[in-house]
Amino acid sequence: MEQTHALGRRKAAVARVYLTAGNGNITINDRPLETYFSLESLRYIVNQPLEVAGAAGQFDVKVTVVGGGVKGQAEAIRLGIARALSEVDKEAYRSALKAAGFLTRDAREVERKKPGQPGARRRFQFSKR
């Protein structure tokens, strides 16, 4: 099997995921998963598509991720891994990943700040007199 490439995005984070046959090593920006994400919950998010598809330990994952915060980066990596897995073998993995909701891009973005007010929706206090 050659290398499979997929892209995952979430908020301001963009993850480029490269999947190759291997023994389950996950490398993010040339660092192991355990050192890049110190929180167990974020490591769980990254591993979710591999666990759901039953492909844990079968593929080596190399990720380049830029932008956003740690949660957005973890979810962008999850989407990228899910897309790469469905590209490798549509019949075997796609239905399980789709049922779990990992192939859907979360389109929610931060709303821009409007001029003449302190935030996107927040207004300055109104004074009648």
Side-chain angles (χ1 to χ4, degrees):
M1 178 198 135
E2 68 282 347
Q3 195 174 52
T4 306
H5 175 259
L7 194 70
R9 290 192 185 97
R10 172 73 171 103
K11 292 186 176 181
V14 180
R16 289 172 187 82
V17 177
Y18 303 93
L19 213 65
T20 55
N23 53 4
N25 294 328
I26 299 176
T27 309
I28 303 166
N29 291 351
D30 297 321
R31 290 163 57 189
L33 174 68
E34 290 74 26
T35 58
Y36 194 83
F37 290 122
S38 57
L39 293 175
E40 181 61 39
S41 59
L42 298 176
R43 291 196 293 262
Y44 175 75
I45 287 171
V46 170
N47 282 315
Q48 273 181 318
L50 295 166
E51 297 293 331
V52 167
Q58 296 178 17
F59 297 101
D60 283 344
V61 183
K62 184 179 180 295
V63 182
T64 306
V65 64
V66 291
V70 288
K71 175 85 168 173
Q73 285 187 351
E75 292 183 3
I77 292 168
R78 176 174 68 185
L79 176 61
I81 291 172
R83 283 181 173 172
L85 280 172
S86 70
E87 213 174 286
V88 167
D89 192 357
K90 281 192 171 34
E91 293 81 28
Y93 303 131
R94 187 165 173 82
S95 59
L97 292 169
K98 193 153 178 72
F102 297 148
L103 293 175
T104 305
R105 202 282 203 200
D106 192 346
R108 295 177 294 172
E109 296 280 337
V110 176
E111 189 174 338
R112 77 176 193 89
K113 182 193 170 300
K114 314 303 187 300
Q117 55 192 65
R121 302 275 175 105
R122 177 92 172 96
R123 304 281 196 260
F124 289 112
Q125 187 174 12
F126 175 73
S127 172
K128 196 166 195 172
R129 290 179 187 85

